[in-house]
């Protein structure tokens, strides 16, 4: 079974229509992996803010946040209900919330976002001095080669009055690397957005990376490989970031990716 792109820019019909079923399978099988995941070393204790994807809310990230809580950090939802899109009021409230978490814990805040939530995480890291690192789960941040999403029409319908007119300039802005370590987690079986838009093309700073997993778009929040990578990234102490080094079992799953 292949999930290749039909036109080179958007996921195929097969990948798109099976994504919900594959997401459900990942959600149902995650409990079987939790005993092993809970044997991982604790993460570095600090606040973490988790952003939901388009048309989702904090409930969609509760599993990941509960896992992070069990590993020793202080996870928080974004607290703004359903993520309807790029809204100025959301952005302003998120900046204030990050400032509050920094003051409360006395440490910088790691930002994790699923899909559209990752776009928020990347952009917020460019404007707040309190961001520690960014981790994106299937986030289409690079649209310079065109729109690779199967839900663009729905997004445009919901956000008609918010969409910027200069789309090329906006795409360039979104693709710019945040000034903090950034991990882009992507899947070539993504049925909602083209996997290539979920990677960081250039890294002048040397602190941006792309890490591939197997799985669906909607299942990123329940994927055990994603949990492993997130825990590994958050375990690093502030100021000592290093690229992700996959364990041998993960390397065996991706012979064409990990060297």
């Amino acid at each position: 079974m292949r999930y290749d792109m039909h036109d080179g820019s958007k996921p195929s019909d097969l990948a798109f229509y099976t994504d919900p079923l594959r997401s459900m399978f990942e959600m149902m099988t995650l409990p079987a992996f939790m005993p092993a995941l809970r044997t991982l070393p604790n993460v570095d204790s600090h606040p973490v803010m988790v952003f939901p994807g388009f048309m989702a809310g904090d409930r969609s990230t509760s599993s990941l946040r509960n896992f992070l809580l069990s590993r020793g950090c202080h996870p928080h939802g974004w607290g703004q209900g359903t993520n309807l899109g790029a809204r100025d009021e959301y952005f302003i409230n998120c900046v204030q919330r990050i400032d509050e978490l920094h003051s409360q814990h006395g440490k910088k805040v790691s930002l994790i976002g699923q899909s559209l939530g990752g776009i928020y995480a990347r952009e917020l890291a460019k404007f707040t001095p309190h961001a520690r690192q960014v981790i994106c789960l299937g986030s289409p941040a690079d649209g310079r080669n065109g729109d690779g999403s199967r839900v663009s029409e729905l997004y445009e319908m919901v956000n008609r009055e918010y969409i910027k007119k200069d789309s090329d300039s906006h795409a360039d802005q979104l693709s710019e690397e945040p000034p903090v370590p950034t991990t882009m987690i992507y899947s070539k079986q993504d049925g909602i957005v083209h996997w290539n838009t979920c990677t960081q093309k250039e890294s002048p700073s040397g602190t941006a990376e792309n890490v591939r997993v197997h799985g669906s778009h909607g299942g990123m929040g329940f994927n055990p490989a994603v949990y492993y990578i997130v825990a590994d990234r958050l375990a690093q102490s502030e100021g000592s970031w290093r690229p992700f080094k996959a364990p041998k079992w993960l390397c065996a799953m991706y012979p064409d990716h990990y060297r």
Side-chain angles (χ1 to χ4, degrees):
M1 182 178 293
R2 294 175 59 86
Y3 296 94
D4 294 339
M5 307 303 141
H6 283 173
D7 59 4
S9 64
K10 296 179 186 293
S12 67
D13 287 345
L14 175 62
F16 176 64
Y17 289 116
T18 61
D19 201 277
L21 293 175
R22 292 182 287 127
S23 300
M24 187 177 298
F25 176 79
E26 289 170 89
M27 181 173 64
M28 293 174 62
T29 56
L30 177 62
F33 293 92
M34 290 307 293
L37 289 170
R38 290 202 172 98
T39 65
L40 296 173
N42 282 353
V43 304
D44 187 62
S45 180
H46 67 282
V48 178
M49 192 168 176
V50 186
F51 302 85
F54 178 50
M55 300 301 289
D58 284 334
R59 185 175 181 180
S60 69
T61 67
S62 61
S63 175
L64 177 59
R65 286 185 285 115
N66 286 336
F67 169 69
L68 296 179
L69 181 63
S70 74
R71 303 321 312 140
C73 67
H74 305 283
H76 301 267
W78 84 323
Q80 298 191 79
T82 302
N83 185 351
L84 297 175
R87 311 288 176 89
D88 289 342
E89 59 268 29
Y90 289 167
F91 194 85
I92 293 171
N93 291 338
C94 286
V95 170
Q96 294 176 344
R97 182 57 174 152
I98 292 170
D99 290 345
E100 291 172 358
L101 292 175
H102 177 261
S103 298
Q104 177 183 345
H105 296 277
K107 294 183 177 181
K108 290 187 176 182
V109 185
S110 287
L111 309 177
I112 302 175
Q114 181 170 3
S115 194
L116 176 63
I119 306 296
Y120 265 93
R122 286 173 58 94
E123 291 305 295
L124 286 164
K126 300 173 185 178
F127 290 94
T128 174
H130 303 316
R132 174 167 169 163
Q133 70 172 310
V134 172
I135 304 174
C136 298
L137 317 180
S139 300
D142 194 337
R144 289 174 294 177
N145 294 322
D147 174 30
S149 173
R150 292 293 300 251
V151 296
S152 297
E153 292 184 3
L154 175 61
Y155 183 88
E156 291 174 2
M157 181 179 67
V158 175
N159 295 278
R160 201 174 303 279
E161 62 184 293
Y162 298 95
I163 295 176
K164 295 189 176 183
K165 295 180 180 179
D166 189 350
S167 58
D168 290 338
S169 175
H170 186 47
D172 288 340
Q173 173 191 328
L174 293 178
S175 67
E176 291 178 2
E177 178 188 342
V180 298
T182 302
T183 300
M184 304 292 290
I185 301 176
Y186 70 97
S187 169
K188 287 191 174 183
Q189 293 84 39
D190 195 313
I192 305 300
V193 295
H194 191 302
W195 66 267
N196 203 34
T197 66
C198 302
T199 60
Q200 179 72 55
K201 296 297 187 299
E202 301 174 357
S203 179
S205 70
T207 59
E209 62 182 351
N210 305 311
V211 184
R212 178 184 165 194
V213 298
H214 283 306
S216 65
H217 181 86
M220 282 281 184
F222 309 101
N223 188 310
V226 169
Y227 280 35
Y228 180 95
I229 296 164
V230 170
D232 178 88
R233 302 293 74 200
L234 296 179
Q236 302 172 104
S237 59
E238 187 175 344
S240 63
W241 187 90
R242 66 192 184 283
F244 177 70
K245 184 176 181 180
K248 291 183 178 180
W249 63 268
L250 192 55
C251 291
M253 293 176 63
Y254 302 93
D256 63 332
H257 180 66
Y258 296 117
R259 304 298 180 186

